[in-house]
Amino acid sequence: MRHAYDLFCRHGVHPIGIDRIIEAAQVAKMTLYRGFGSKDSLVLATLERRRELWTAWLEESALNRVDSPAGALLALFDVLGEWFGRDDYESCYFTSVLLESHDRTSRVGAAAAEELIAFRRFVSELAEQAGVGDPDSFARKWQM
């Protein structure tokens, strides 16, 4: 899955076919399908991996830098700024997958949308704890 994750994050889901993943991972096609069943299942696994790697890192980094919800909201900008400046920066995988899927109701589109919603909830909860008047509206604007 590591190779699929890297390829999808760098190039998008649609341009990367199963054969390219198999070549990069040096596994048999049956091994890949036995483990994931379909490309959609593989994409879902990479979305989960992205949440584990990126979203958890972003949330923890912001929370660990300060001792208040308001400070954590500000720290998000610092953490994102560092991420944007990295040599290995890649855009928001959740947004990219959602845009490529063209269908929020598909398994892949729904999963990508849910990841974006979950992060927005995190920002909304921080905003509420910080005393922001309309935390949901704030989180939506912040996410834009």
Side-chain angles (χ1 to χ4, degrees):
M1 181 185 54
R2 179 175 51 89
H3 296 285
Y5 174 82
D6 291 342
L7 288 167
F8 290 160
C9 287
R10 278 195 207 112
H11 305 287
V13 171
H14 288 296
I16 301 300
I18 292 298
D19 290 336
R20 186 152 176 207
I21 295 166
I22 290 167
E23 180 183 325
Q26 297 181 339
V27 298
K29 190 177 276 194
M30 281 307 298
T31 302
L32 182 80
Y33 280 112
R34 198 174 306 121
F36 295 99
S38 69
K39 184 176 177 182
D40 279 357
S41 293
L42 183 58
V43 173
L44 291 171
T46 62
L47 287 167
E48 173 70 20
R49 181 74 174 139
R50 183 63 166 208
R51 184 179 53 76
E52 292 168 358
L53 292 175
W54 186 83
T55 307
W57 166 79
L58 177 59
E59 292 173 359
E60 289 170 16
S61 294
L63 292 172
N64 289 336
R65 290 178 183 215
V66 296
D67 59 358
S68 72
L73 286 172
L74 291 173
L76 282 172
F77 289 102
D78 294 333
V79 175
L80 286 169
E82 292 165 13
W83 179 52
F84 296 152
R86 288 174 33 175
D87 290 338
D88 65 343
Y89 169 76
E90 51 208 22
S91 66
C92 177
Y93 183 54
F94 306 127
T95 301
S96 298
V97 170
L98 183 58
L99 291 171
E100 281 189 63
S101 76
H102 303 289
D103 181 6
R104 287 183 70 153
T105 63
S106 70
R107 287 181 358 162
V108 169
E114 182 51 41
E115 293 297 340
L116 292 167
I117 291 166
F119 188 73
R120 188 170 60 236
R121 273 193 301 261
F122 169 75
V123 172
S124 179
E125 289 167 8
L126 278 179
E128 184 175 11
Q129 293 167 12
V132 172
D134 186 351
D136 291 329
S137 176
F138 172 86
R140 287 180 185 282
K141 291 173 185 172
W142 186 92
Q143 196 171 40
M144 294 296 284

